[in-house]
Amino acid sequence: MRCVALMLKVVLSVLGSEMIVAQLWCPEVCSCTGGVVDCSKRGLTTASLPSSFPPHTTTLQLNDNHLTALPPGLLDSLPTLHRAALHGNPWSCDCGILYLRGWLLKQSNPASIQNVSCSSPAHLRGRLLVYLSEQELLDSCRYWMCNLALASQISLFIFITVQVLLLAAVILFLRRFELLSREARRTAAESLTAEDGATQSNEYVSLKDRSL
């Protein structure tokens, strides 16, 4: 009986230590119970997704969030993981999701595979990720890059147009300023000439009066 009690104590202590370790590794936004890590319905995005999970995770629930892709290597450090709930996320099926597709293709659990469908791009919406070829994903990525390049070219054209308009406005302002300056100098010169003429006329009148 003592041996049985001692073994039971050891098992309980091991289980307790594993639970403590699991809690220490548990991300703040998730809840962990044994090997189940529940991160569902937390409003997580790909950017706010925890960077790691407890190493003894057996079930990972990431469903019903706002995930569009998984960071490469995120699930590779979970050797005991046998189920991942990934449904209810707006997965973007472009080259950024190649890691998740490769991970799903290695899984034997149908539930993990059948619940990951594309939300974008439009021509792949509703398709299951595992049934898409790598070429389809790369083509979608090229479409995205082409759209980005087109948007960049349009932005550059608008920027150059604005710069040309600003340069034209500055040139027009400088020319107008030069004309106004010339007009002001001519007006000042005419005023000065008129004042000199008036002064000379007054001096002439004054000398004439004295001679009389």
Side-chain angles (χ1 to χ4, degrees):
M1 290 296 294
R2 289 183 178 180
C3 293
V4 174
L6 181 61
M7 291 181 63
L8 183 60
K9 185 177 181 180
V10 171
V11 170
L12 291 175
S13 63
V14 170
L15 291 176
S17 62
E18 287 185 354
M19 291 180 62
I20 293 174
V21 170
Q23 289 299 323
L24 291 175
W25 280 82
C26 188
E28 293 183 1
V29 295
C30 308
S31 61
C32 303
T33 304
V36 179
V37 179
D38 185 5
C39 304
S40 62
K41 301 179 181 178
R42 301 300 203 276
L44 296 175
T45 63
T46 302
S48 63
L49 187 67
S51 58
S52 62
F53 298 99
H56 300 294
T57 300
T58 57
T59 300
L60 180 60
Q61 298 175 349
L62 295 174
N63 54 288
D64 300 306
N65 283 296
H66 304 295
L67 303 175
T68 57
L70 292 184
L74 179 67
L75 305 178
D76 296 340
S77 59
L78 305 176
T80 59
L81 181 66
H82 61 79
R83 181 178 182 275
L86 302 171
H87 59 278
N89 287 291
W91 300 108
S92 178
C93 293
D94 53 26
C95 52
I97 207 168
L98 286 172
Y99 165 72
L100 178 58
R101 175 181 175 274
W103 184 84
L104 289 174
L105 290 175
K106 299 175 184 178
Q107 306 308 305
S108 57
N109 188 345
S112 298
I113 298 174
Q114 298 296 329
N115 290 329
V116 182
S117 59
C118 304
S119 292
S120 63
H123 67 284
L124 296 179
R125 185 175 299 141
R127 301 264 313 265
L128 291 177
L129 177 58
V130 292
Y131 295 140
L132 294 177
S133 66
E134 185 174 330
Q135 189 61 42
E136 285 180 295
L137 298 178
L138 292 176
D139 289 341
S140 298
C141 190
R142 290 193 188 98
Y143 293 147
W144 176 81
M145 292 178 65
C146 289
N147 292 335
L148 179 62
L150 179 61
S152 300
Q153 291 179 356
I154 293 174
S155 300
L156 180 61
F157 174 76
I158 293 174
F159 176 76
I160 293 175
T161 303
V162 171
Q163 294 297 317
V164 170
L165 292 176
L166 289 175
L167 181 60
V170 170
I171 293 174
L172 182 62
F173 172 78
L174 291 176
R175 288 184 176 179
R176 186 173 180 81
F177 179 77
E178 185 179 0
L179 291 175
L180 291 174
S181 298
R182 289 178 181 177
E183 186 69 23
R185 287 195 297 269
R186 188 178 68 180
T187 302
E190 291 177 351
S191 299
L192 184 60
T193 303
E195 289 177 358
D196 290 342
T199 302
Q200 292 177 0
S201 178
N202 291 335
E203 289 177 353
Y204 175 76
V205 170
S206 177
L207 290 173
K208 186 176 181 180
D209 291 339
R210 288 178 183 180
S211 63
L212 293 175

